[in-house]
Amino acid sequence: GAEPPRKLGDPVSNDAKLSAAVREKLGSRSARKLRREGRIPCSLQPGDDEQSRTKPHVDLHIDEDAFLAARRHHVHLFDLDFEGKDLESAVIREIQYDQLGDNILHVEFKSVTRGIKTEAEVPLTFTGHLAEGDFVEVTGRYRDGGSHGVGAR
């Protein structure tokens, strides 16, 4: 049988649909107005894969509460629904916060095609101290295809 639709908050759900609208006006004044209305100014950038690369840059806005709820449920893949006319799959490229780090000022999405691998840069921050004799090793793949490791003793 057909698989039932997943809902936000399901343990296996890692995507969410967000209602999006194209921004009519750009600039800081209109962005502040959107934020007062509970919206987050965003941009959708072309992705890395063949299909996503040809898509244009779009300035949009989304509902703040819906976005924060999705983030609380560790959603990483978003379907941006442009008023029922168009559906774009995207991942977060960057989130900009105010000086205190409390409020989101802007979200930059990267267009993706479902089922096609994409690249992402993920900054890692290590805190704390190693006890004597402890060892931490971090490995990963870089754009050049090689594996690189960082170790500390």
Side-chain angles (χ1 to χ4, degrees), residues 4 29 35-37 44 49 52 54 60 64-65 70 73 78 81 87 89 98-100 103 109-110 112 132 138 146 148:
R29 184 175 293 171
R35 289 186 205 104
R36 280 194 305 271
E37 295 170 353
L44 177 62
D49 64 85
S52 299
T54 59
L60 59 128
E64 181 179 29
D65 291 336
H73 289 94
F78 295 89
D81 183 3
L87 195 67
S89 294
D98 65 7
Q99 290 97 344
L100 300 176
N103 300 308
F109 288 101
K110 178 174 91 167
V112 295
E132 188 162 337
V138 178
H148 305 276

Side-chain angles (χ1 to χ4, degrees), residues 10-121:
D10 285 352
V12 294
S13 180
N14 62 355
D15 60 357
K17 185 186 268 190
L18 293 176
S19 178
V22 175
R23 289 178 63 185
E24 301 297 326
K25 295 181 179 178
L26 301 178
S28 57
R29 184 175 293 171
S30 64
R32 281 193 299 271
K33 184 176 185 276
L34 285 170
R35 289 186 205 104
R36 280 194 305 271
E37 295 170 353
R39 309 290 292 173
I40 300 174
C42 305
S43 62
L44 177 62
Q45 306 293 331
D48 303 323
D49 64 85
E50 202 63 39
Q51 284 181 310
S52 299
R53 191 176 299 134
T54 59
K55 294 181 181 178
H57 165 97
V58 179
D59 291 302
L60 59 128
H61 56 92
I62 58 173
D63 181 71
E64 181 179 29
D65 291 336
F67 179 72
L68 293 175
R71 296 279 294 162
R72 280 192 300 275
H73 289 94
H74 306 286
V75 171
H76 299 287
L77 179 62
F78 295 89
D79 286 322
L80 302 175
D81 183 3
F82 288 90
E83 299 161 345
K85 298 175 191 165
D86 197 12
L87 195 67
E88 289 285 342
S89 294
V91 294
I92 297 170
R93 180 178 277 168
E94 181 181 11
I95 300 177
Q96 296 172 7
Y97 292 91
D98 65 7
Q99 290 97 344
L100 300 176
D102 294 334
N103 300 308
I104 296 176
L105 297 176
H106 185 268
V107 177
E108 185 177 314
F109 288 101
K110 178 174 91 167
S111 183
V112 295
T113 304
R114 287 178 178 264
I116 296 179
K117 289 182 182 180
T118 188
E119 293 183 358
E121 290 185 21

